[in-house]
Amino acid sequence: MCNDRDLDTPQRDFLALMEAGTLPLMAAPMFLVSGPELVVACAKAGITGSFPAANARNLDILDAWMAHTRDAVQAGNAATPWALNMIVHKSYDRFDRELELVRKYQPRIVSTALGSPRRVLDTVHGYGGIVMADVASPTMARKAADAGADVLVLVSSGAGGHTGHYHPFAFVAEVRKFWSGPLGLAGAVTRGTDIRAAQLLGADFVLAGTRFIATAESQAMPAYRDMVVSSHLEDLVQTKAVSGVLANWLKPSLEAAGFTEEQLREEKKIDFSGDIVDAPKAWKTVWSAGHGVGGIHRVAPVGDVVRELRADYDNALRMEQIQLQALCRRYLAAAPSH
Ligand SMILES: Cc1cc2nc3c(=O)[nH]c(=O)nc-3n(C[C@H](O)[C@H](O)[C@H](O)COP(=O)(O)O)c2cc1C
């Protein structure tokens, strides 16, 4: 984590929020998986949770979800914020009405997906909120930074949902050449050790999605949670055939939905218009997970997951301390002074 950085107020606020939490971790927004119950459980466990606005079947339900989440999070743990995720793609026709609800309920963090964060900036900054942009390439990261996003999340290869293409080592390094603001890493974060590894690469925090599918508070169907628990890295198939965007899908769910090898090579047209919650196959019967799926061994309440991650993170720090002492003895003691 960088300390001497030229940060503006929303960026300093964001890093302070991450430092105040149980871990520098956010539960990522997941279509048809994350809702208010998951977000409130995250706040109780001391981490920031988020849900996609599109998960609410209609705007009245979204209104009720946002009211409930705001009140429950504030009542439980005022220091922990919650985040709303918005589709900002031009074909998404609920955007303007969702933005009105953002103005009304003022989630501390608004994250944007599938387009430029520019569309939400004035509204969110208007009430002192923080805008976070998910990006899948250095070019997208630069555009989001130029558009005024406060926080960037690098969705790297192996991520669940609409996955990234780039290896996190290289991706973080490229973006850190021009971005000193708060930086999150998403993709296959399943263990506390992964969180520490992301920090060593240069990220400030992580977003974990798949890790929270098999939780008591997720909206995933029991069969989906069980499939996550029983699946491993090689059970994932990466294709554009299901939603039109490259994503990782669980092979048994593709097979059950009748996808053939040939269909998996096809590219579906991208379209977020209409009632996407009622989309027949994508997401509802075909289930997504990230490359970290093999590290999930049971369905558990969010509180237990966060406790396990924290214990593993603490253990990683202890191991690192021991390794560092040994490495310093071996290398620094033998190194010529410069
Ligand atoms: C089932 C599922 C649905 C997702 N839906 C969304 C979404 O609606 N909006 C979004 O920005 N990201 C979505 N994502 C991506 C996550 O926010 C996050 O980037 C990803 O889960 C991180 O990778 P991981 O699953 O390996 O932890 C989804 C991911 C999954 C697994």
Side-chain angles (χ1 to χ4, degrees), residues 28-31 33 52 85 113 134 155 158-161 186-189 207-210 213 224 283 288-291:
M30 289 180 283
F31 189 50
V33 171
N85 174 254
D134 277 12
V155 182
V189 173
L207 235 92
T210 299
I213 297 173
Y224 183 5
W283 310 100
S288 177
H291 283 186

Side-chain angles (χ1 to χ4, degrees), residues 141-296:
R142 196 180 280 280
K143 278 189 188 160
D146 290 347
D150 305 307
V151 180
L152 299 182
V153 175
L154 308 186
V155 182
S156 28
S157 64
H162 291 155
T163 192
H165 313 265
Y166 295 111
H167 192 284
F169 283 15
F171 198 0
V172 172
E174 290 260 338
V175 172
R176 274 297 186 216
K177 286 182 196 165
F178 60 86
W179 174 257
S180 62
L183 189 66
L185 190 61
V189 173
T190 309
R191 306 162 306 152
T193 313
D194 304 330
I195 302 175
R196 181 63 197 135
Q199 288 179 317
L200 289 174
L201 290 181
D204 297 296
F205 71 103
V206 294
L207 235 92
T210 299
R211 191 68 184 85
F212 291 93
I213 297 173
T215 55
E217 296 87 349
S218 97
Q219 294 179 340
M221 277 187 266
Y224 183 5
R225 299 179 204 188
D226 292 345
M227 197 179 283
V228 164
V229 170
S230 61
S231 293
H232 302 278
L233 183 54
E234 287 167 290
D235 294 317
L236 293 168
V237 174
Q238 198 168 284
T239 177
K240 290 185 178 177
V242 182
S243 70
V245 182
L246 193 70
N248 280 307
W249 303 99
L250 289 162
K251 201 188 291 176
S253 72
L254 287 167
E255 286 165 359
F259 274 89
T260 62
E261 290 288 325
E262 196 190 337
Q263 282 171 325
L264 290 176
R265 283 191 290 272
E266 287 168 6
E267 286 190 23
K268 197 176 172 292
K269 188 175 175 297
I270 304 172
D271 186 5
F272 298 102
S273 60
D275 191 354
I276 60 171
V277 177
D278 277 337
K281 269 190 182 171
W283 310 100
K284 223 167 193 187
T285 56
V286 185
W287 298 325
S288 177
H291 283 186
V293 71
I296 298 161

